Structure formats: structure tokens, C-alpha cells
């Protein structure tokens, strides 16, 4: 995977995390994407595979954290993605 692709898929994961704190019509599809067991292109499992992450660990960490904790994680990931680009 190239660096731009890595940044893209990390941004997809970060956006899903951000969407969890949005209104229900945004949070519900994000929660469904994160909980999905599909491994098709663009799914959480596929995205994590591309990033070298354990999808089960990502799913558990994201879905079990309070939204206030996620906002801190998002800020750190966004800074890291910007620096990598």
C-alpha cells in the first residue's frame, strides 16, 4: 500500500469514529459499519487489513469507548495523518 492509500483508509476509519458522535442518522450507519463482519472492499475488516490493524481490536476499542475519549483519539490520529501526507 502506498502512503496516500494508507492516509486515505486511515481517514475512512477516523471518519467512522467521528460519525459515532453525530446525530443518530449518521451514527447508526457508522456503528453498523464498525460492527459488520463483512470483508468486502471498503468494509472495516478490509480497511483494517490494509492498515495492518486487528479489526476485532479496533472494533472493541472504538465501540466500547465513551465518545469523550474518542474525540481525543481522533485529534491524535488526524495530526498523525496530516504529518504523514
Amino acid at each position: 500500500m502506498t502512503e496516500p492509500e494508507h492516509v486515505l483508509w486511515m481517514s475512512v476509519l477516523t471518519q467512522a469514529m467521528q460519525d459515532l458522535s453525530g446525530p443518530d442518522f449518521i451514527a447508526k450507519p457508522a456503528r453498523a459499519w464498525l460492527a459488520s463482519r463483512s470483508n468486502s472492499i471498503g468494509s472495516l475488516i478490509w480497511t483494517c487489513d490494509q492498515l495492518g490493524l486487528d479489526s476485532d481490536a479496533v472494533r472493541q476499542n472504538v465501540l466500547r469507548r465513551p465518545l469523550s475519549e474518542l474525540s481525543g483519539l481522533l485529534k491524535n490520529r488526524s495530526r498523525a495523518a496530516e504529518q504523514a501526507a
Side-chain angles (χ1 to χ4, degrees):
M1 173 180 291
T2 65
E3 187 66 27
E5 290 170 319
H6 182 85
V7 171
L8 170 67
W9 291 110
M10 184 58 79
S11 296
V12 168
L13 185 55
T14 301
Q15 186 64 53
M17 292 169 59
Q18 288 174 336
D19 289 353
L20 288 174
S21 63
D24 196 45
F25 73 94
I26 293 174
K28 191 173 182 177
R31 199 171 294 111
W33 183 80
L34 286 160
S36 173
R37 295 296 179 176
S38 171
N39 64 353
S40 62
I41 294 173
S43 67
L44 173 69
I45 293 172
W46 183 90
T47 300
C48 287
D49 284 347
Q50 300 307 302
L51 295 171
L53 301 172
D54 178 344
S55 58
D56 288 327
V58 169
R59 182 181 294 111
Q60 289 176 358
N61 282 313
V62 171
L63 293 177
R64 291 184 182 177
R65 288 180 188 253
L67 293 176
S68 59
E69 253 185 73
L70 286 176
S71 62
L73 276 174
L74 294 171
K75 288 177 187 173
N76 292 337
R77 289 179 193 254
S78 294
R79 278 189 228 125
E82 287 172 7
Q83 290 173 352

